[in-house]
């Protein structure tokens, strides 16, 4: 049992992390290996080398792989304090490439991604030539060589290793698109079509009625909510606001005052012995939340998230705070912030807003997140039984709708828990850009049991979407790397709409026919 725990795929580091750890996913692309630290030959940690012998089982893969969660925190701290110098040939090549990217078209810069093999070969050749010149200049005194020849060997081996990693990583360019929150109706987009304007007018008509017809509102929200009315619609569909228009202001004031009453009553206890571990874990996880989006790196925003998560955790002792819940705040925060922002939300300085507005956004985000978690809290109780059951249900569903993929996983010993745990724990937020998550949640809010039940069919449709790529992978390691780094960086409303349509088709076929297609 102890051995199984050590090789568990989702390792957890018991040490206090000292920096933001990279986490792979749509919002967390792999880091550029050219900027990784280098190590002396004897102390270099055994990072995963994709050129090595292919693992035949998950246990072999786990033993030979250091995942993003496994990198020692002390190493990250040393790296941030003392970044290793980049070899001159590689540095100059990188600088030239950056200048070319800035001078060229933006879209071509996106498509280039990592440097070409020809450039890599030139870099290596330049480094080797410099090393030969340095060796020729070594002075001999009393028959001893002053300059150690191991320096050149270390640099050569580190460049070889860096280039091998660079060639083996998935070609997924790190570009600003990953941090773009704005959807198709945001500022800077083309003018609304006649159909979009008609939909917006229909929403405004529904919201302006004395008693909003929630069923009609859900019907119209299923295919996406216009940005202009999304905040009020989310509040209504989540159950935070009443349908009666006259009561809304009174309810908002009462709930907001209640939330800040919790802050005054409980937040000071974050340093108490009983709660300090919970607060410490929240404090560690907040900087990791959407690290590529500037909005979430602002101190004012991080303090808001700390208060929301801490108050929720102590008010729900059955589960407490669990890693992954921090992601679930972000869509609500962005949507309610967009009510007061006309420019790009991702770069907006929240501290510039009036204090009352900041407090209202914080309180509304807390209550809507609480409503969401009320329906899926068994995902975060001890042993996370809700997630275990959903992953098992996903396996059963995929075995019925696409036997080829299911058998392919069995052939190469891929367990659904190894990739689908994160899909259920984070509601696909690590697999999709945030703008896609917001569109996805429009439908989840409109769908009965959207987060707890419909999400299963969305995950099945999402897996089948990559059928061709999955079946082309013929080893365990390649399959797992693909499933953890699915290329959704360019996805938008159209792709999410197609995904939801397929998920609805699967639900219609299988939800009420549990024996259908069963062998």
């Amino acid at each position: 049992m102890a051995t199984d725990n050590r090789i568990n795929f989702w390792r957890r580091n018991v040490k206090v992390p000292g920096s933001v750890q990279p986490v792979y996913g749509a919002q967390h692309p792999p880091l550029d290996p050219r900027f990784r630290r280098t190590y002396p030959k004897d102390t270099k940690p055994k990072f995963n080398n994709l050129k090595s012998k292919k693992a035949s089982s998950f246990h072999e893969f786990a033993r030979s792989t250091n995942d993003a969660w496994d990198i020692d925190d002390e190493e990250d701290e040393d790296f941030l304090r003392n970044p290793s110098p980049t070899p001159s040939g590689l540095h100059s090549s990188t600088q030239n490439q950056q200048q070319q990217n800035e001078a060229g078209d933006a879209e071509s810069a996106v498509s280039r991604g990592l440097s070409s093999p020809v450039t890599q070969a030139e870099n290596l050749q330049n480094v080797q030539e410099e090393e030969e010149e340095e060796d020729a200049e070594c002075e001999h005194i009393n028959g001893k060589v002053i300059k150690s020849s191991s320096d050149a060997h270390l640099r050569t081996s580190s460049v070889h290793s860096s280039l091998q990693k660079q060639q083996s990583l998935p070609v997924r360019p790190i570009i600003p698109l990953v941090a773009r929150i704005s959807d198709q109706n945001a500022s800077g987009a083309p003018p609304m079509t006649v159909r979009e304007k008609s939909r917006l007018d229909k929403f405004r008509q529904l919201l302006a009625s004395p008693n909003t017809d929630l069923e009609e509102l859900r019907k119209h929200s299923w295919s996406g909510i216009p940005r202009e009315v999304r905040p009020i619609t989310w509040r209504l569909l989540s159950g935070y606001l009443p349908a009666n228009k006259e009561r809304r202001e009174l309810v908002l004031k009462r709930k907001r005052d209640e939330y800040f009453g919790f802050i005054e009553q409980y937040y000071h206890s974050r340093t108490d012995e009983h709660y300090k571990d919970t607060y410490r874990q929240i404090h560690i996880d907040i900087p990791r939340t959407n690290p590529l989006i500037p909005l979430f790196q602002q101190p004012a925003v991080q303090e808001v998230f700390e208060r929301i998560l801490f108050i929720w955790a102590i008010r729900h002792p059955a589960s407490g705070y669990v890693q992954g819940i921090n992601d679930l705040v972000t869509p609500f925060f962005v949507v309610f912030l967009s009510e007061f922002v006309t420019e790009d939300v991702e770069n907006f300085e929240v501290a510039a807003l009036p204090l009352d507005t900041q407090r209202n956004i914080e309180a509304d985000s807390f209550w809507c997140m609480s409503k969401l978690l009320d329906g899926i809290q068994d995902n975060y109780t001890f042993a996370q039984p809700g997630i275990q059951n959903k992953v098992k249900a996903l396996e059963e569903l995929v075995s019925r709708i696409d036997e080829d993929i299911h058998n392919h996983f069995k052939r190469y010993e891929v367990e659904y828990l190894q990739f689908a745990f994160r899909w259920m724990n984070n509601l696909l937020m690590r697999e999709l850009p945030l703008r896609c998550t917001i569109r996805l949640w429009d439908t989840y809010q409109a769908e009965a049991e959207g987060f707890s039940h419909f999400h299963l069919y969305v995950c099945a449709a999402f897996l089948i979407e990559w059928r061709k790529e999955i079946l082309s992978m013929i080893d365990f390691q390649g399959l797992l790397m693909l499933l953890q780094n699915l290329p959704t960086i360019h996805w938008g409303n159209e792709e999410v709409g197609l995904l939801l349509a397929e998920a609805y088709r699967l639900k219609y076929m299988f939800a009420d026919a549990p024996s259908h297609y069963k062998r």
Side-chain angles (χ1 to χ4, degrees):
M1 180 61 70
T3 303
D4 292 340
N5 290 336
R6 284 198 300 272
I7 62 176
N8 189 351
F9 185 74
W10 295 277
R11 293 185 176 92
R12 293 188 177 180
N13 196 338
V14 296
K15 302 176 183 177
V16 179
S19 63
V20 178
Q21 300 271 1
V23 182
Y24 293 161
Q27 300 175 36
H28 312 272
L31 297 177
D32 192 329
R34 290 172 294 182
F35 302 106
R36 294 289 181 91
R37 68 181 290 189
T38 55
Y39 298 82
K41 186 174 181 180
D42 295 333
T43 61
K44 183 175 179 182
K46 298 178 181 179
F47 290 117
N48 182 27
N49 186 356
L50 300 184
K51 298 288 185 181
S52 61
K53 181 180 178 182
K54 295 177 179 178
S56 60
S57 69
F58 173 64
H59 287 179
E60 285 188 32
F61 175 71
R63 291 192 190 100
S64 63
T65 302
N66 280 325
D67 201 86
W69 288 278
D70 301 326
I71 302 175
D72 287 342
D73 302 312
E74 293 80 4
E75 293 173 0
D76 280 349
E77 289 177 348
D78 294 341
F79 172 59
L80 292 174
R81 288 196 297 264
N82 303 308
S84 59
T86 309
S88 59
L90 188 58
H91 176 76
S92 62
S93 175
T94 304
Q95 189 174 23
N96 292 337
Q97 186 177 358
Q98 290 174 349
Q99 293 173 354
Q100 293 171 2
N101 287 351
E102 292 172 357
D105 183 77
E107 288 300 322
S108 63
V110 167
S111 62
R112 270 197 292 270
L114 300 174
S115 58
S116 64
V118 176
T119 304
Q120 296 166 0
E122 291 174 357
N123 294 340
L124 183 58
Q125 183 177 359
N126 291 339
V127 173
Q128 291 174 339
E129 289 174 358
E130 290 178 4
E131 291 164 359
E132 291 173 1
E133 292 173 3
E134 291 173 356
D135 290 341
E137 293 174 358
C138 292
E139 297 180 359
H140 293 260
I141 299 177
N142 296 329
K144 295 183 179 179
V145 179
I146 300 301
K147 185 177 177 67
S148 172
S149 61
S150 63
D151 292 344
H153 175 72
L154 284 173
R155 288 207 308 274
T156 304
S157 62
S158 67
V159 173
H160 270 294
S161 175
S162 177
L163 293 178
Q164 285 179 351
K165 291 176 188 174
Q166 185 172 337
Q167 292 170 345
S168 60
L169 281 170
V171 182
R172 296 193 46 211
I174 304 174
I175 56 177
L177 180 62
V178 73
R180 191 179 302 162
I181 300 174
S182 304
D183 60 14
Q184 293 176 356
N185 295 328
S187 59
M192 283 192 295
T193 63
V194 175
R195 180 178 178 274
E196 289 172 342
K197 189 176 184 306
S198 175
R199 291 189 73 245
L200 178 58
D201 291 341
K202 182 62 177 177
F203 270 93
R204 284 175 171 161
Q205 181 182 348
L206 283 169
L207 296 171
S209 61
N211 287 285
T212 301
D213 187 341
L214 294 181
E215 284 304 315
E216 192 70 13
L217 187 63
R218 288 190 179 95
K219 177 182 175 182
H220 285 82
S221 299
W222 204 99
S223 55
I225 303 171
R227 182 178 187 267
E228 294 82 355
V229 295
R230 183 176 278 140
I232 180 67
T233 304
W234 275 28
R235 291 187 185 103
L236 285 165
L237 293 181
S238 65
Y240 174 45
L241 279 186
N244 184 279
K245 188 177 180 181
E246 292 182 355
R247 294 180 52 223
R248 289 175 194 167
E249 285 300 322
L250 184 63
V251 169
L252 275 179
K253 185 180 185 309
R254 178 172 59 82
K255 298 297 283 185
R256 288 166 178 171
D257 290 345
E258 185 179 356
Y259 168 72
F260 284 101
F262 294 151
I263 296 291
E264 293 179 7
Q265 183 177 358
Y266 299 117
Y267 195 59
H268 65 85
S269 65
R270 64 189 182 280
T271 56
D272 292 353
E273 186 67 26
H274 186 64
Y275 296 121
K276 67 178 184 180
D277 288 341
T278 296
Y279 178 74
R280 172 182 151 275
Q281 188 62 58
I282 292 171
H283 186 72
I284 290 169
D285 288 345
I286 293 301
R288 302 174 179 175
T289 306
N290 297 287
L292 298 180
I293 300 180
L295 172 69
F296 299 112
Q297 302 311 307
Q298 298 175 23
V301 174
Q302 294 186 355
E303 290 171 8
V304 166
F305 278 40
E306 285 182 2
R307 289 192 292 268
I308 289 174
L309 294 171
F310 182 76
I311 296 301
W312 188 88
I314 64 176
R315 294 189 73 245
H316 296 81
S319 62
Y321 173 75
V322 177
Q323 287 178 309
I325 295 179
N326 55 307
D327 285 331
L328 305 184
V329 187
T330 56
F332 292 114
F333 185 83
V334 167
V335 167
F336 297 144
L337 177 63
S338 68
E339 199 170 11
F340 306 96
V341 179
T342 55
E343 65 238 51
D344 292 336
V345 177
E346 54 265 32
N347 293 308
F348 183 78
E349 188 67 35
V350 173
L353 287 172
L355 183 59
D356 286 345
T357 300
Q358 295 181 44
R359 288 165 61 90
N360 291 344
I361 293 171
E362 178 178 346
D364 292 354
S365 299
F366 169 80
W367 286 114
C368 288
M369 185 198 75
S370 298
K371 293 286 187 180
L372 185 161
L373 288 171
D374 286 347
I376 58 172
Q377 192 171 353
D378 62 341
N379 284 7
Y380 305 106
T381 54
F382 178 73
Q384 299 181 271
I387 291 180
Q388 302 279 350
N389 292 336
K390 288 181 176 69
V391 171
K392 193 67 180 175
L394 177 65
E395 180 177 1
E396 172 65 22
L397 183 59
V398 173
S399 71
R400 290 154 62 189
I401 63 179
D402 198 318
E403 193 173 0
D404 290 341
I405 288 181
H406 182 70
N407 290 336
H408 195 68
F409 286 158
K410 290 177 64 177
R411 184 178 302 115
Y412 295 104
E413 301 181 18
V414 174
E415 299 290 338
Y416 284 77
L417 198 64
Q418 292 162 2
F419 64 88
F421 179 91
R422 189 170 74 183
W423 296 10
M424 304 299 177
N425 189 59
N426 300 84
L427 297 177
L428 287 176
M429 287 194 63
R430 292 287 173 89
E431 324 312 319
L432 298 172
L434 184 53
R435 61 186 179 275
C436 295
T437 298
I438 291 173
R439 167 62 191 91
L440 186 68
W441 284 22
D442 286 347
T443 301
Y444 282 3
Q445 300 266 16
E447 182 76 23
E449 298 182 321
F451 294 98
S452 60
H453 183 63
F454 186 63
H455 180 67
L456 169 67
Y457 297 95
V458 172
C459 288
F462 187 66
L463 183 63
I464 303 304
E465 172 72 20
W466 309 103
R467 185 179 196 277
K468 181 179 177 181
E469 291 82 356
I470 289 172
L471 295 179
S472 68
M473 292 292 174
I474 55 173
D475 64 284
F476 172 85
Q477 185 169 313
L479 278 167
L480 219 52
M481 287 295 291
L482 170 68
L483 292 166
Q484 291 178 345
N485 297 277
L486 292 167
T488 61
I489 192 171
H490 293 283
W491 275 33
N493 287 1
E494 183 178 352
E495 288 81 2
V496 175
L498 293 173
L499 177 69
L500 289 165
E502 177 63 15
Y504 182 81
R505 185 185 71 84
L506 293 176
K507 180 189 173 188
Y508 184 81
M509 290 176 63
F510 296 102
D512 299 323
S515 298
H516 189 45
Y517 278 14
K518 202 167 186 178
R519 295 183 299 277

